[in-house]
Amino acid sequence: MSLQTPAPQQVWASLDQARRDAAYDNNAAVANSAALIEARNAASAAYRKAHSGALDIPYAPGARTAFDLYPAADPGAPCLVFIHGGYWLRNSRELFAAYAEGLAQHGWSIALPGYTLAPQASLTAIVQEIGAALDWFARHGPAHGVAGPVVLAGWSAGAQLAVLHLGHRLVAAGLAISGVYDLKPLRDTALNDVLKLTDAEVAALSPVRSPPASLKPLAIAYGTHELPALVHDSRKLHALRSAAHAPGPLLPIAGADHFSILEQLRRPNGQLVRTAQRLIEDVSH
């Protein structure tokens, strides 16, 4: 995104329906998105099959309200809790297992919570489910061999969910990747046919529409080849937090798009892996 190109949010009133829909259509914006998604799903299926000891652990009633856990050898090791994305209406925790790989090679535990998708659940209900997942994990994680400090991470819609729960007692720091932090424009897109966002949800669940709820460290990452709408939201959230003296870097990942950015979490030397490590080092001192 060129610094001279206005983000769609800045000219929203002038955009027709097609341009508003395109402003948030990550799949269409990345030419090889279908191939990247297929590769992700295959890698995740293989990882899950190879690490099948603590999968599908329910934290609440419901088909999707369960954890996949990948405990480290050391119960006191740091843990990445990763919330998947998909605009709150698609995907599942199983499809993101491959992204446990990077930090697992550094001796971390990884936990992937699932959640009910829209339209079966409203966004308010989804947010509540993530809170319930973290409550369950705080109580029961140690019994499953996971008792270390937690970095709460999320990608895309999962990043919004992670930011909203940064203040949870379980969480030491956060890592928000390629997120959508202002829900208001989404009401004018085809996504809202399913999400049916209310005025109250826009106000309460858009991290950029209120002062930071938590001053815990939060790293905010985005790819330099992301859609301008998402780049705008990441910069806006970081500016809001900086104004409140909340710690945490803004991380433009050079050359990354909405899908390829997660390779930086999968590779042991990836930028997002190193960022998670630094977050834990900083809160441990």
Side-chain angles (χ1 to χ4, degrees):
M1 176 176 140
S2 166
L3 293 177
Q4 286 75 40
T5 303
Q9 294 96 322
Q10 296 171 313
V11 293
W12 195 249
S14 70
L15 302 183
D16 61 20
Q17 189 62 56
R19 290 182 180 180
R20 289 178 175 186
D21 290 342
Y24 289 91
D25 192 341
N26 291 295
N27 291 53
V30 179
N32 63 333
S33 61
L36 292 173
I37 291 167
E38 184 179 358
R40 176 198 73 195
N41 294 351
S44 292
Y47 192 88
R48 215 168 171 264
K49 184 176 181 181
H51 304 83
S52 59
L55 306 180
D56 305 314
I57 302 170
Y59 67 80
R64 290 176 173 268
T65 49
F67 268 99
D68 287 345
L69 304 181
Y70 302 96
D74 176 8
C79 177
L80 184 82
V81 175
F82 180 86
I83 307 171
H84 75 79
Y87 278 126
W88 310 277
L89 52 81
R90 58 178 173 262
N91 292 331
S92 65
R93 68 188 187 278
E94 297 94 334
L95 301 179
F96 291 81
Y99 302 115
E101 191 171 354
L103 282 162
Q105 292 194 40
H106 291 282
W108 283 48
S109 294
I110 317 295
L112 283 76
Y115 53 90
T116 307
L117 301 178
Q120 284 72 36
S122 67
L123 187 51
T124 297
I126 291 169
V127 171
Q128 291 170 345
E129 284 187 353
I130 296 300
L134 296 174
D135 289 345
W136 180 93
F137 199 61
R139 292 193 302 269
H140 301 288
H144 291 278
V146 185
V150 166
V151 172
L152 180 61
W155 168 78
S156 199
Q160 176 256 7
L161 295 170
V163 172
L164 292 177
H165 290 286
L166 186 62
H168 193 279
R169 61 190 173 91
L170 177 72
V171 177
L175 173 57
I177 307 163
S178 302
V180 178
Y181 307 117
D182 188 357
L183 302 178
K184 187 176 180 181
L186 298 184
R187 296 184 76 183
D188 298 324
T189 72
L191 293 165
N192 205 48
D193 296 345
V194 178
L195 297 174
K196 301 189 185 308
L197 297 167
T198 66
D199 289 343
E201 286 174 327
V202 167
L205 305 181
S206 296
V208 298
R209 290 190 169 266
S210 56
S214 173
L215 298 184
K216 293 178 186 176
L218 174 69
I220 301 168
Y222 66 89
T224 61
H225 290 177
E226 296 266 10
L227 284 168
L230 274 65
V231 174
H232 175 271
D233 273 15
S234 292
R235 290 175 173 169
K236 187 173 181 179
L237 179 60
H238 185 261
L240 182 71
R241 285 179 49 84
S242 294
H245 307 291
L250 181 66
L251 297 170
I253 306 296
D257 61 44
H258 193 66
F259 299 97
S260 65
I261 192 171
L262 284 178
E263 286 302 306
Q264 300 299 323
L265 194 60
R266 187 179 177 192
R267 296 203 297 262
N269 64 341
Q271 285 178 262
L272 297 178
V273 166
R274 296 199 303 270
T275 297
Q277 293 174 305
R278 282 195 296 269
L279 285 168
I280 284 298
E281 290 168 2
D282 289 347
V283 298
S284 298
H285 292 152

